[in-house]
Amino acid sequence: MIIRILGEGQFRLDDSLLDRVNKIDNQIVNHVSQGNKVEYAKDLANLISTVKELAEPLDPVEIMPSDIIIPPSDMSFEEARKVFCGEGLIKG
Amino acid sequence: MGFLDRMSTVVQAKMNKIMDKIEDPRETLDLSYEKQLQLLQNVKRGVAEVTTSKKRLELQKAKLQMSLDKLDGQAKEALQAGREDLARRALESKAALQAQSATLDQQIADLNDQQQKLIAAESRLATKVESFRTKKETIKAQYSAADAQVKITESVTGISEEMADVGMAVQRAEEKTENMKARSAALDELLEAGTLTDYSGSDDLDRELAKAKASSSVNDMLAKMKEEMKK
């Protein structure tokens, strides 16, 4: 499975580890919907460090689409909320 | 729908913009390549902008540090002249400037982070663009029309995702430097207009301190004379 962390490139992650990623993803959904900024920031950092720890960086020579896209590490709570509202990360 | 699925939607929307208006598959390859080269130029510009902003903040930080050192010296001189009230004023100003200085440090660290990330993104993109260039020639030369279509879609989709990512990173970096530019211009204005120079340059403090020093040396001289006359 190919994962992209926005701003940091692509990684190759073993499919069996997808559950761990999904679990944090669900937690982030909860934090954003409940307005829990502190936990959101914690779990976003956790998500990114987990992927970096478990996955291998993809050789930049390879050109392929990703299966999963992870937001940039500096994505603010307000930006995350906009993503949920369908407004997108960046206008335009 | 998960958070990451939504992120994919955001990136997909960006990719569609990058890939749109292309119909002839072979033209697709060349057009995409042209856009990649343009984006590479954009990233380079982005890196240069972030670097300039960082330098500007570092200069500001150096100026603030000079003011801090000066205030420190003034506080010491005031104490030596027995004017604790003046020393207190200098140290109060110093504390206010220290807060500004800490904010600047944080901003410089943020920009440094942006700079490193953009430099890495530029290098990844450059590698991918070169790889794409080779691939596009192979596809053109070796594949039948039907196979070529599949290969073209694969590589154009892959590279478009990279382009969407890098494009967003540049945009985020630009927004950040814009924000910091505004704040740093405000700080410059404060320093120029004297709101902070009142703290730091502190003509007022200087004058009072000079007076205090003069009066303490007058006291010394008086004491000396009195001593001498007693003899």
Side-chain angles (χ1 to χ4, degrees), chain A residues 4 6-10 21 25 28-29 60-66 68-69 71-75 79-80 83-84 88-92, chain B residues 1-4 6-8 10-11 14 17 114 117 124 127-128 131-132 135 154-155 157-159 161-162 165 168-169 171-172 175-176:
Chain A
R4 174 181 294 278
L6 287 177
E8 304 196 36
Q10 288 172 298
V21 173
D25 181 25
I28 293 182
V29 173
V61 171
E62 294 199 51
I63 299 175
M64 54 174 79
S66 311
I68 291 181
I69 295 195
S73 55
D74 61 352
M75 185 188 219
E79 285 176 309
V83 169
F84 271 95
L89 181 53
I90 287 168
K91 288 174 285 256
Chain B
M1 199 185 202
F3 188 47
L4 302 180
R6 288 186 196 258
M7 277 317 295
S8 293
V10 170
V11 172
K14 284 266 160 198
K17 266 195 180 159
Q114 290 280 331
K117 276 190 184 160
R124 274 196 309 271
T127 308
K128 271 205 165 52
S131 166
F132 182 90
K135 217 169 176 174
E154 248 174 39
S155 43
T157 310
I159 197 93
E161 184 189 300
E162 186 74 22
D165 181 0
M168 285 196 277
Q171 216 172 329
R172 286 173 76 77
E175 278 171 17
K176 282 204 173 165

Side-chain angles (χ1 to χ4, degrees), chain B residues 65-75 90 200-203 206:
Chain B
Q65 191 54 51
M66 272 168 58
S67 299
L68 284 171
D69 293 345
K70 188 179 175 195
L71 284 165
D72 216 31
Q74 284 176 324
S200 57
S202 58
D203 294 342
D206 271 338

Side-chain angles (χ1 to χ4, degrees), chain A residues 8-26:
Chain A
E8 304 196 36
Q10 288 172 298
F11 297 79
R12 196 188 292 275
L13 184 74
D14 195 276
D15 287 2
S16 63
L17 297 165
L18 179 63
D19 279 353
R20 281 182 70 173
V21 173
N22 274 336
K23 199 175 153 222
I24 310 177
D25 181 25
N26 288 336

Side-chain angles (χ1 to χ4, degrees), chain B:
Chain B
M1 199 185 202
F3 188 47
L4 302 180
D5 295 331
R6 288 186 196 258
M7 277 317 295
S8 293
T9 313
V10 170
V11 172
Q12 191 62 48
K14 284 266 160 198
M15 286 166 63
N16 289 344
K17 266 195 180 159
I18 292 169
M19 291 195 290
D20 73 358
K21 288 182 201 147
I22 303 174
E23 277 148 23
D24 177 354
R26 304 211 172 219
E27 202 187 329
T28 306
L29 289 172
D30 291 329
L31 266 177
S32 173
Y33 183 63
E34 265 173 46
K35 285 193 175 184
Q36 291 159 33
L37 294 181
Q38 278 171 15
L39 181 59
L40 257 183
Q41 288 308 313
N42 269 350
V43 186
K44 283 190 212 292
R45 250 200 322 270
V47 171
E49 257 177 50
V50 173
T51 309
T52 310
S53 295
K54 196 178 100 181
K55 280 201 182 126
R56 192 182 142 91
L57 291 191
E58 280 166 349
L59 266 175
Q60 238 175 6
K61 163 84 187 163
K63 263 199 249 171
L64 265 182
Q65 191 54 51
M66 272 168 58
S67 299
L68 284 171
D69 293 345
K70 188 179 175 195
L71 284 165
D72 216 31
Q74 284 176 324
K76 273 184 198 143
E77 281 178 22
L79 270 187
Q80 273 160 8
R83 289 288 305 270
E84 203 179 314
D85 59 324
L86 285 184
R88 183 174 293 276
R89 259 173 60 191
L91 291 178
E92 275 165 6
S93 306
K94 188 183 163 189
L97 280 193
Q98 264 169 340
Q100 297 271 9
S101 173
T103 312
L104 268 184
D105 281 341
Q106 183 56 49
Q107 289 174 344
I108 291 169
D110 279 353
L111 280 186
N112 193 47
D113 197 37
Q114 290 280 331
Q115 188 189 26
Q116 298 313 317
K117 276 190 184 160
L118 274 191
I119 289 172
E122 183 195 335
S123 144
R124 274 196 309 271
L125 181 65
T127 308
K128 271 205 165 52
V129 168
E130 184 46 32
S131 166
F132 182 90
R133 193 184 62 81
T134 320
K135 217 169 176 174
K136 114 182 141 79
E137 295 315 319
T138 316
I139 294 171
K140 277 183 180 171
Q142 289 181 356
Y143 290 90
S144 70
D147 284 346
Q149 184 58 63
V150 175
K151 290 276 160 199
I152 289 168
T153 309
E154 248 174 39
S155 43
V156 170
T157 310
I159 197 93
S160 297
E161 184 189 300
E162 186 74 22
M163 291 166 77
D165 181 0
V166 174
M168 285 196 277
V170 172
Q171 216 172 329
R172 286 173 76 77
E174 275 170 1
E175 278 171 17
K176 282 204 173 165
T177 50
E178 274 309 310
N179 283 343
M180 281 186 194
K181 255 190 227 164
R183 266 183 288 174
S184 129
L187 182 58
D188 263 349
E189 238 169 69
L190 279 178
L191 283 165
E192 304 280 315
T195 320
L196 287 178
T197 27
D198 253 359
Y199 286 142
S200 57
S202 58
D203 294 342
D204 195 27
L205 196 60
D206 271 338
R207 235 185 345 259
E208 291 239 23
L209 202 54
K211 255 198 268 173
K213 275 202 280 192
S215 96
S216 102
S217 81
V218 168
N219 286 343
D220 285 351
M221 285 190 284
L222 272 176
K224 223 182 199 171
M225 275 181 190
K226 282 182 191 166
E227 274 300 301
E228 277 170 10
M229 284 167 80
K230 270 189 207 161
K231 284 176 193 168

